[in-house]
Amino acid sequence: MRARTTVSMTMTACAALVVCACGPGDDKGDADTKPSASTSASASADPSAPSSPSSSARPEKPSATPPTGDQPAPKTKEGAIKRYEQYLHALGREDINTVCEVAGPAAKKAENQGLGPCTSTYTAVFKMISPAQKTALRTATVDPGRVVVRTPAKVEMPVAAVKSEATFSESDLGSYTLEYLKDEWYITD
């Protein structure tokens, strides 16, 4: 069952990457030419180079979490947990931009396997989550004792680590792998 859930969530998350790369509200453009606002600074080869004006001029929905700016996320278990909690809260709020940002690499894999863009895929996922589960996800936390650190740059978040007022199983939330890429934690599997 874990494999099936992982595959379906990976596909869903991979679709999210495409939308994030295109930017909020623009799912038709070239993903390589429009990095998301939160990754544009870290994607630059020269970290001291100014970001392009187009990335800051694009209108986007405000996220519930503040942007990290030019500061890299901590490459720690705690940093991975914070990022995963950001994803869970966004999932509960149906914040497609944040969900697609965090799940970007997994969404790209899923898209390569034939799924559609993140926005359409996660719209379907949002419909599968009950109202009670959405409410619980908005304040869900992660039990650090259940998180498995595989390498300094790879952390597994089992569904059993999610602490909330609702119960989640592998079939309705699943377990995830987060990896540290380009100075931030992303769901990759």
Side-chain angles (χ1 to χ4, degrees):
M1 181 182 272
R2 173 174 159 56
R4 184 184 76 217
T5 301
T6 302
V7 169
S8 67
M9 292 310 293
T10 298
M11 288 188 225
T12 300
C14 286
L17 176 62
V18 174
V19 174
C20 288
C22 294
D26 181 9
D27 55 20
K28 297 179 187 172
D30 180 5
D32 293 330
T33 61
K34 290 185 171 182
S36 68
S38 64
T39 59
S40 61
S42 62
S44 173
D46 180 6
S48 64
S51 63
S52 68
S54 64
S55 67
S56 61
R58 253 189 351 251
E60 69 180 66
K61 280 184 170 177
S63 174
T65 56
T68 58
D70 292 335
Q71 297 292 331
K75 190 176 179 180
T76 61
K77 176 180 173 178
E78 293 76 19
I81 289 171
K82 181 178 177 184
R83 182 72 158 172
Y84 186 59
E85 287 176 346
Q86 178 185 11
Y87 168 81
L88 294 172
H89 299 167
L91 197 58
R93 290 188 319 273
E94 296 187 17
D95 176 356
I96 194 75
N97 294 330
T98 301
V99 167
C100 290
E101 164 64 21
V102 176
K108 184 64 176 170
K109 288 178 189 175
E111 184 184 18
N112 290 341
Q113 294 175 359
L115 280 170
C118 177
T119 51
S120 61
T121 303
Y122 266 100
T123 298
V125 170
F126 293 151
K127 290 177 183 176
M128 292 186 281
I129 302 171
S130 75
Q133 287 176 320
K134 286 178 190 171
T135 299
L137 283 169
R138 291 178 195 140
T139 58
T141 59
V142 173
D143 178 356
R146 294 183 179 245
V147 174
V148 180
V149 177
R150 295 291 179 201
T151 70
K154 190 173 189 175
V155 175
E156 290 184 19
M157 300 287 178
V159 71
V162 176
K163 297 188 311 186
S164 75
E165 298 206 5
T167 302
F168 294 96
S169 67
E170 283 292 331
S171 63
D172 55 19
L173 183 61
S175 297
Y176 292 92
T177 299
L178 276 77
E179 291 187 60
Y180 194 78
L181 308 166
K182 299 180 183 177
D183 295 330
E184 185 57 273
W185 289 97
Y186 293 95
I187 294 174
T188 58
D189 192 19

